[in-house]
Amino acid sequence: MQDREEATVAAEIGARIQVIRGQRVLLDSDLAALYGVTTKRFNEQVRRNEQRFPADFLLRLTESETASLRSQNATLKPGRGQHRKYLPTAFTEHGAIMAATILNTPRAVEMSVYVVRAFVKLRELLSSQAELARKLALLEKSVATLDASTRRQFEEVYEAILSLMGPRTRKQ
């Protein structure tokens, strides 16, 4: 039963992982929610411990990246005080783990394990997709000798498979 719960939590975290500037990241608001603190408190601790977050651990998003995320996620809520005052930050896998260490709460420590598992699972999925893409490319080359009708049918199937393999993460 516990394994199922862990898999569910890791899958939920995996769904929050996004691709920004070619890196898989979690947003500060998502990490704050996972670690059981407010985004304001979370970012306060990050600022107090800036030396623990080199450039490869943390990305400060631009206004255009933030606008893109907002439009993709429909994060705007009606009413006063519902919008972020500052631009969000995004944390790579290592940055997310480092964030758990600066918060030093039992929940942050517990959730950091799930964050690691989610990133590892995503890495495994991406590597299996890369292997499948390699095999499909080899198959496509071997189909070149088929007649035109069969080749056209194969290309339709090939395109359908590639569309299913397409990344569901947002690219900036």
Side-chain angles (χ1 to χ4, degrees):
M1 181 69 175
Q2 188 174 356
D3 289 340
R4 189 178 302 165
E5 289 175 21
E6 288 180 10
T8 302
V9 172
E12 289 175 13
I13 295 169
R16 294 180 182 197
I17 295 174
Q18 301 181 43
V19 176
I20 298 176
R21 297 183 206 160
Q23 295 190 49
R24 291 181 295 278
V25 297
L26 283 166
L27 296 178
D28 55 356
S29 56
D30 290 334
L31 279 173
L34 288 169
Y35 294 154
V37 296
T38 64
T39 304
K40 180 179 178 178
R41 168 111 167 87
F42 179 82
N43 285 326
E44 181 180 271
Q45 289 299 341
V46 170
R47 277 191 306 278
R48 289 180 179 170
N49 293 280
E50 281 186 18
Q51 70 280 4
R52 293 184 181 215
F53 296 95
D56 59 330
F57 282 25
L58 170 107
L59 304 173
R60 302 222 183 262
L61 301 186
T62 64
E63 287 183 31
S64 63
E65 289 169 333
T66 302
S68 176
L69 287 173
R70 187 172 290 143
S71 67
Q72 290 173 359
N73 295 332
T75 57
L76 289 178
K77 297 179 186 175
R80 181 176 163 85
Q82 297 294 317
H83 308 293
R84 292 185 68 134
K85 187 174 181 180
Y86 302 102
L87 295 174
T89 51
F91 294 81
T92 63
E93 178 179 0
H94 301 297
I97 302 309
M98 186 61 72
T101 66
I102 63 168
L103 290 173
N104 201 23
T105 64
R107 178 164 170 94
V109 171
E110 177 187 355
M111 293 309 289
S112 67
V113 171
Y114 294 118
V115 169
V116 168
R117 288 183 179 149
F119 274 103
V120 167
K121 185 78 168 166
L122 183 61
R123 237 187 334 268
E124 289 171 356
L125 286 171
L126 291 174
S127 68
S128 68
Q129 274 193 348
E131 178 65 18
L132 181 57
R134 187 185 65 76
K135 287 179 180 178
L136 279 172
L138 288 173
L139 183 59
E140 184 181 33
K141 288 177 185 176
S142 68
V143 171
T145 60
L146 299 175
D147 64 80
S149 174
T150 307
R151 191 172 36 236
R152 187 174 55 249
Q153 289 174 346
F154 172 78
E155 287 172 1
E156 289 173 8
V157 171
Y158 182 73
E159 289 300 320
I161 292 172
L162 287 179
S163 69
L164 291 173
M165 288 175 54
R168 290 187 158 171
T169 54
R170 291 161 198 90
K171 292 188 178 179
Q172 299 295 322

